[in-house]
């Protein structure tokens, strides 16, 4: 028997060929395996049918941990057997095909971890120990094919020992481009905040000790710098909050072990799997009743972002201390991309930290940590980056066009759509200035090159003034690409539909802000969408509410609350009473009261703004110092509450009334607990929107109702909506592979651009 087998997916740079070699030899097969230029592999097998069947079974069941198989195509070959043994051929130098796939970074594997701890191992205590199954990939690759000279490991020629392992097909480091040891690999070193060397034998463990004693240390990792600090001492956290001008935004933690994480947070089975997966994202965990880390870590929230160590260096940081966890926050100044260069780090972070733990390998691609949470047993991406990017989202059908989509403004990503693969970039951040604009541009170009995509269409938001819209216009003109502008919430719903391969959906797209088709501010939308159609129908939305003072109202939600309540009651006394929560006190309260008498404030249908307003009336948040703060605190406040208000949803035509909700909260604010009021607000909005969506789905004969947008990361809203939708016998869909928030917008834009008829 002779067969040719083509395997596509993530099969290069993940130890696939040595794995093929081992299973072929095990089953007594002859032939060869080689990498193809399109990032797939080609296998020729000669042997008995039984041996080939066993080979295929092992191929599927025992593949290397990082490998992902999209497709296996088997073709019988005619002719006589040609080979006497099985061989690994060198990479073919065929021209590259489009849509090639680069693996994401992976956490250290157990075998490497064991070697790290084995005094007899040549890589004992080596902070950058990796093998073909683990370590950085995306963050070190400058171009394809994935060979050492095309990565930032190029500057570290292999020593004799590493070279031998690199060339041995039966070794775990065969063709592992990150292979290195203390003799030949990157070195770690410690400096002061001005860059002066700190003499020590063991810089990594020394850094751990400094952290434990209260120093703030910038730690260079695979895809950027973390700022690390103690989680039990107040002083470093106070300093960190001051210097990062980050008053309340929660810091992510790295726990020393799963057991340590369980000592201060609840960890269910799904969360445990995520925490320990090779992607090692930050997982939002509910604090448990034994939580005793500093309140400054995640103030006023019921949950905290936790990740486990993902490189040998991280494990070593904890070796000489007994801290349960360290703060590990991405080292990006507000609105700036993550820092990736040693000199740049000294300049930008020198004022914030006491020490630097550097290493001397360059970072090819910046990549922040991914952030997820679990709704019962469903994974929800808040940020899809390290460990996931740039692995593609596989679509059911091939797109008609090759699209690059630039996303929106906040929490942005870009996306390349090539046939049935959508490559979403790493997290880019808020694209509001030149630095983030150029990071977006670099990251996107890099992805276009890595995937060898011949772009013909560029997609962006409908907002006429977004940095990304302007950039898309420029690029369209320069390159002769077709420009497609996609309404923000349409992109959210399109992303959800594409993720589930659904052709028709009534989607609830809820977030803080998106530029509406009529130019006004949207954010609580019910939309009827059909795939293959460039348009959408807005079939329902939240009541329009005034934003007194425009953008200032987004920061100080008392203003929104006053604007809403003013329709039914005189708020003067209440507002003056609460004027200490406004930056200019009574003067400002009086100014607002004056504004209430005039008309002409901008209007919004945003769900985020209603949650903000509710949070202010209930008294859980008066100032939004970070994106989503009021809504997050409101969800935290609702954790042990019940629907004490029990309001029935008031739907007038296609609009869910929100004024009566705010009024009811206002009237009962002293009678009911914060928990009950917060819970009631969620219940009213979730049930009201879901009822409206179900009505519209039934009216149009649509079977699927979805929930998307930044608000869809809210577990309480999602679960209450699910009940209503499923009770009506409809499918309720949420995001699982793509961020529900604006990190998923580029994907939705790409899908609209790639599949729609224009
Ligand atoms: Zn390994
Ligand atoms: Zn070596
Ligand atoms: Zn959005």
């Amino acid at each position: 028997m002779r067969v040719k087998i083509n395997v596509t997916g993530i099969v290069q740079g993940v130890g696939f060929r040595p794995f093929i070699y081992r299973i072929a030899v095990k089953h007594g097969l002859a032939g060869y395996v080689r990498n193809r230029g399109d990032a797939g592999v080609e296998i020729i097998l000669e042997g008995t049918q039984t041996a080939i069947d066993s080979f295929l079974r092992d191929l599927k069941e025992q593949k290397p941990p990082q490998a992902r198989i999209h497709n296996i195509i088997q073709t019988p070959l005619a002719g006589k057997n040609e080979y006497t043994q099985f061989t690994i051929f060198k990479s073919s130098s065929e021209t590259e095909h489009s849509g090639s796939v680069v693996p994401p970074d992976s956490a250290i594997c157990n075998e490497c971890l064991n070697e790290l701890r084995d005094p007899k191992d040549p890589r004992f205590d080596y902070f950058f120990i990796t093998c073909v199954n683990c370590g950085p990939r995306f963050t070190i690759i400058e171009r394809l094919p994935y060979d050492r000279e095309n990565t930032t490991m190029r500057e570290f020629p292999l020593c004799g020992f590493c070279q031998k392992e690199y060339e041995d097909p039966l070794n775990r480091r065969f063709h592992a481009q990150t292979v290195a040891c203390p003799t030949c690999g990157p070195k770690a070193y410690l400096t002061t905040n001005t860059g002066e060397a700190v003499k020590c034998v063991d810089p990594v463990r020394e850094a751990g000790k400094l952290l434990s004693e209260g120093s703030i240390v910038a730690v260079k990792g695979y895809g950027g710098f973390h700022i690390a600090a103690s989680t039990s001492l107040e002083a470093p956290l106070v300093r960190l909050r001051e210097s990062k001008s980050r008053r309340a935004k929660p810091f992510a933690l790295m726990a020393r072990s799963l057991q340590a994480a369980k000592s201060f947070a609840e960890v269910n089975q799904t969360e445990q799997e995520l925490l320990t997966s090779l992607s090692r994202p930050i997982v939002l965990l509910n604090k448990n009743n034994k939580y005793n880390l500093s309140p400054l870590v995640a103030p006023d929230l019921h949950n905290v972002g936790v990740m486990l160590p993902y490189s040998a260096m991280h494990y070593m940081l904890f070796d000489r201390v007994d801290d349960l966890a360290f703060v590990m926050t991405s080292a990006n100044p507000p609105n700036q991309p993550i820092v990736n260069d040693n000199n740049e780090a000294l300049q930008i972070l020198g004022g914030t930290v006491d020490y630097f733990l550097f290493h001397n390998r360059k970072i090819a691609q910046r990549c922040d940590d991914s952030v997820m949470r679990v709704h019962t047993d469903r994974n929800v991406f808040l940020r899809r980056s390290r460990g996931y990017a740039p692995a593609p989202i596989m679509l059911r059908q091939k797109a008609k066009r090759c699209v690059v989509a630039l996303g929106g403004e906040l929490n942005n990503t870009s996306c390349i759509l090539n046939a049935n693969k959508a490559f979403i970039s790493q997290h880019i951040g808020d694209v509001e200035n030149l630095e983030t604009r150029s990071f977006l541009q670099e990251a996107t170009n890099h992805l276009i090159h890595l995937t060898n995509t011949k772009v013909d269409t560029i997609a962006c938001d409908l907002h006429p003034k977004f940095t990304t819209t302007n950039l898309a216009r420029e690029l369209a003109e320069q390159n002769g690409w077709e420009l497609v502008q996609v309404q923000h919430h349409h992109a959210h719903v399109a992303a959800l539909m594409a993720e589930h391969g659904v052709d028709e959906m009534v989607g609830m797209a809820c977030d803080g802000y998106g530029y509406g088709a009529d130019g006004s501010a949207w954010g609580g939308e019910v939309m009827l969408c059909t795939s293959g159609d460039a348009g959408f129908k807005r079939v329902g939305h939240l009541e329009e509410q005034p934003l007194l003072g425009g953008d200032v109202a987004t920061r100080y939600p008392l203003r929104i609350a006053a604007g809403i309540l003013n329709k039914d009651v005189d708020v003067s006394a209440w507002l003056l009473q609460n004027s200490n929560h406004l930056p200019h006190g009574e003067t400002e309260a009086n100014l607002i009261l004056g504004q209430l008498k005039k008309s002409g404030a901008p209007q919004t249908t945003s769900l985020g703004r209603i949650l903000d307003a509710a949070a202010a009336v209930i008294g859980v948040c008066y100032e939004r110092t970070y994106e989503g703060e009021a809504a997050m605190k409101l969800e935290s406040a609702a954790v042990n509450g019940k629907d004490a208000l029990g309001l029935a949803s008031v739907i007038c035509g296609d609009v869910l009334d929100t004024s009566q909700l705010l009024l009811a909260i206002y009237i009962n604010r002293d009678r009911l607990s914060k928990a009950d009021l917060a819970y009631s607000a969620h219940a009213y909005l979730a049930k009201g929107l879901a009822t409206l969506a179900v009505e519209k789905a039934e009216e149009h004969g649509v079977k699927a109702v979805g929930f998307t947008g930044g608000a869809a990361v809210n577990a309480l809203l999602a679960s209450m909506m699910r009940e209503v939708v499923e009770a009506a016998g409809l499918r309720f869909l949420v995001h699982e592979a793509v961020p529900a928030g604006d990190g998923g917008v580029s994907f939705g834009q790409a899908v609209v651009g790639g599949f729609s008829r224009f």
Side-chain angles (χ1 to χ4, degrees):
M1 262 304 304
R2 307 182 70 216
V3 291
K4 180 163 104 178
I5 296 167
N6 279 328
V7 187
T8 56
I10 301 181
V11 291
Q12 288 190 19
V14 293
F16 205 74
R17 286 178 304 159
F19 159 70
I20 295 296
Y21 176 87
R22 282 194 299 273
I23 59 172
V25 171
K26 175 176 147 199
H27 297 296
L29 292 159
Y32 69 80
V33 56
R34 65 171 184 178
N35 280 344
R36 284 200 329 248
D38 64 349
V41 299
E42 177 182 287
I43 306 160
I44 300 288
L45 294 178
E46 294 178 353
T48 64
Q49 182 69 56
T50 329
I52 292 173
D53 289 346
S54 312
F55 173 94
L56 284 167
R57 196 191 52 235
D58 285 358
L59 173 63
K60 287 174 204 149
E61 288 172 5
Q62 295 171 19
K63 63 178 168 38
Q66 273 185 286
R68 270 174 243 176
I69 295 178
H70 297 152
N71 221 339
I72 300 176
I73 298 168
Q74 207 188 133
T75 337
L77 296 179
K80 283 200 302 251
N81 289 359
E82 287 175 33
Y83 302 95
T84 51
Q85 56 180 7
F86 197 86
T87 325
I88 299 177
F89 282 164
K90 267 194 83 94
S91 291
S92 78
S93 53
E94 285 169 43
T95 51
E96 282 180 29
H97 299 90
S98 68
S100 27
V101 182
V102 166
D105 287 12
S106 159
I108 184 170
C109 72
N110 286 334
E111 283 161 298
C112 285
L113 202 51
N114 289 338
E115 290 178 352
L116 176 77
R117 302 304 192 191
D118 177 3
K120 291 190 294 291
D121 193 278
R123 295 188 186 84
F124 171 61
D125 265 4
Y126 183 49
F127 80 111
F128 258 7
I129 183 172
T130 60
C131 71
V132 82
N133 294 326
C134 74
R137 297 290 183 274
F138 176 60
T139 53
I140 59 161
I141 296 176
E142 289 171 338
R143 64 191 80 84
L144 282 179
Y146 175 51
D147 290 325
R148 192 156 171 126
E149 67 261 27
N150 291 332
T151 72
T152 53
M153 286 303 287
R154 171 176 65 237
E155 289 165 27
F156 305 94
L158 294 167
C159 68
F161 166 71
C162 289
Q163 182 75 34
K164 233 180 82 215
E165 294 203 336
Y166 183 83
E167 286 169 2
D168 175 5
L170 289 177
N171 192 287
R172 210 170 84 247
R173 295 195 171 83
F174 174 70
H175 276 247
Q177 308 303 353
T178 53
V179 66
C181 73
T183 316
C184 64
K187 310 250 184 304
Y189 57 100
L190 197 62
T191 79
T192 63
N193 59 359
T194 52
E196 280 158 54
V198 175
K199 285 221 171 69
C200 57
V201 240
D202 193 341
V204 180
R205 293 190 177 98
E206 185 63 28
K209 265 175 69 189
L210 289 166
L211 286 171
S212 185
E213 287 160 10
S215 293
I216 301 176
V217 183
V219 178
K220 186 178 181 184
Y222 289 160
F225 284 80
H226 281 119
I227 294 181
S230 164
T231 51
S232 52
L233 304 171
E234 301 283 296
L237 290 173
V238 170
R239 275 201 294 144
L240 196 52
R241 291 225 171 265
E242 275 167 7
S243 62
K244 278 202 88 183
S245 32
R246 191 161 146 163
R247 262 188 285 159
K249 192 172 180 182
F251 290 131
L253 306 181
M254 182 175 278
R256 62 182 305 131
S257 63
L258 182 63
Q259 202 191 358
K262 284 179 174 173
S263 73
F264 58 80
E266 288 164 14
V267 182
N268 73 20
Q269 188 54 36
T270 316
E271 287 160 343
Q272 175 162 334
E273 278 161 24
L274 266 184
L275 283 168
T276 55
S277 72
L278 286 175
S279 298
R280 294 281 158 88
I282 294 169
V283 182
L284 285 190
L285 300 174
N286 289 354
K287 297 171 179 172
N288 66 18
N289 47 18
K290 286 174 289 176
Y291 182 88
N292 61 353
L293 306 178
S294 164
L296 288 171
V297 171
D300 301 323
L301 296 175
H302 70 295
N303 51 20
V304 59
V306 181
M307 64 182 147
L308 294 181
Y310 56 86
S311 71
M313 181 180 71
H314 295 147
Y315 282 94
M316 291 164 71
L317 278 177
F318 288 99
D319 277 351
R320 297 231 177 109
V321 299
D322 17 86
D323 297 58
L324 290 172
F326 289 136
V327 159
M328 277 276 187
T329 176
S330 147
N332 47 337
N335 309 320
Q336 304 282 314
I338 189 169
V339 178
N340 74 335
D341 172 78
N342 287 9
N343 288 326
E344 190 191 31
L346 280 168
Q347 276 175 23
I348 295 177
L349 307 175
T352 303
V353 305
D354 306 311
Y355 296 95
F356 283 88
L357 177 59
F358 283 120
H359 60 71
N360 59 346
R361 183 173 68 202
K362 289 197 190 104
I363 294 170
Q365 279 299 301
R366 294 172 260 202
C367 196
D368 274 288
D369 297 312
S370 294
V371 187
M372 305 184 82
R373 70 183 284 192
V374 173
H375 290 178
T376 322
D377 56 356
R378 282 186 181 78
N379 296 342
V380 179
F381 274 104
L382 280 76
R383 175 190 294 167
R384 183 183 180 276
S385 201
R386 177 187 51 76
Y388 299 94
I393 309 292
M394 300 300 291
L395 302 178
R396 211 180 35 172
Q397 285 172 336
K398 287 187 177 174
K400 293 182 226 158
R401 300 183 194 80
C402 279
V403 190
V404 53
L406 297 186
E409 182 166 68
L410 302 179
N411 272 315
N412 207 27
T413 60
S414 60
C415 178
I416 315 290
L417 178 61
N418 187 330
N420 61 341
K421 295 186 196 123
F423 301 89
I424 306 177
S425 76
Q426 72 270 46
H427 169 74
I428 304 288
D430 300 348
V431 186
E432 295 173 323
N433 53 33
L434 276 179
E435 288 84 354
T436 36
R437 176 185 145 124
S438 55
F439 178 33
L440 173 71
Q441 219 173 336
E442 275 165 36
T444 309
N445 279 336
H446 184 63
L447 208 49
I448 292 175
H449 286 298
L450 285 185
T451 57
N452 201 19
T453 300
K454 310 267 176 296
V455 174
D456 53 48
T457 303
I458 186 162
C460 66
D461 198 85
L462 198 60
H463 197 298
K465 287 187 182 146
F466 274 178
T467 305
T468 47
T469 310
N470 289 324
L471 180 57
R473 285 204 190 102
E474 279 170 34
L475 292 173
E477 184 138 333
Q478 275 167 27
N479 299 291
W481 296 335
E482 187 174 352
L483 179 74
V484 183
Q485 286 187 270
V486 183
Q487 198 280 326
H488 186 89
H489 303 96
H490 179 207
H492 275 309
V493 180
L496 185 55
M497 286 165 62
E499 192 186 319
H500 291 284
V502 163
D503 287 324
E504 253 189 339
M505 178 185 281
V506 170
M508 294 173 273
C510 302
D511 54 14
Y513 169 77
Y515 187 85
D518 56 6
S520 69
W522 289 8
E525 312 308 309
V526 181
M527 288 179 161
L528 172 65
C529 297
T530 316
S531 68
D533 186 349
F536 63 88
K537 224 171 141 192
R538 187 195 198 199
V539 291
H541 55 84
L542 295 185
E543 181 184 356
E544 291 193 323
Q545 298 290 9
L547 274 175
L548 287 190
D551 282 347
V552 191
T554 340
R555 174 132 198 175
Y556 300 99
L558 271 178
R559 286 172 165 269
I560 310 169
I564 300 173
L565 293 171
N566 183 58
K567 296 176 182 177
D568 302 290
V569 285
D570 178 359
V571 291
S572 351
W574 170 76
L575 195 61
L576 285 165
Q577 246 170 42
N578 282 290
S579 60
N580 56 321
H581 300 301
L582 294 164
H584 306 291
E586 259 180 56
T587 325
E588 190 171 349
N590 282 314
L591 204 76
I592 296 173
L593 293 172
Q595 287 171 346
L596 286 173
K597 298 200 180 85
K598 297 182 208 134
S599 58
Q603 304 281 311
T604 180
T605 56
S606 161
L607 177 69
R609 297 295 88 83
I610 295 297
L611 295 171
D612 291 356
V617 181
I618 296 169
V620 295
C621 184
Y622 297 104
E623 183 183 351
R624 197 184 71 142
T625 65
Y626 59 89
E627 173 82 8
E629 177 171 0
M632 283 160 69
K633 288 185 172 167
L634 192 68
E635 188 189 353
S636 290
V639 166
N640 293 312
K642 57 181 184 304
D643 187 8
L645 281 181
L647 282 183
S649 29
V650 175
I651 298 170
C652 316
D654 303 332
V655 179
L656 175 66
D657 182 305
T658 48
S659 299
Q660 72 139 354
L661 168 67
L662 262 284
L663 183 63
I665 294 172
Y666 177 81
I667 292 170
N668 291 288
R669 69 189 186 281
D670 297 322
R671 193 177 67 83
L672 296 175
S673 71
K674 285 182 179 180
D676 286 353
L677 287 170
Y679 190 96
S680 303
H682 282 84
Y684 179 84
L685 293 163
K687 289 177 188 167
L689 276 164
T691 306
L692 184 53
V694 165
E695 262 176 32
K696 295 297 164 187
E698 285 169 348
E699 189 181 318
H700 295 276
V702 175
K703 299 273 168 269
V705 171
F707 183 30
T708 176
V713 305
N714 183 309
L716 204 50
L717 289 175
S719 68
M720 296 196 227
M721 286 177 172
R722 176 179 295 278
E723 259 178 53
V724 176
V725 174
E726 289 181 348
L730 299 169
R731 256 181 102 188
F732 182 69
L733 295 172
V734 289
H735 290 281
E736 282 157 37
V738 173
D742 289 359
V745 162
S746 63
F747 172 66
Q749 292 173 346
V751 168
V752 174
F755 287 93
S756 298
R757 298 176 290 269
F758 290 101

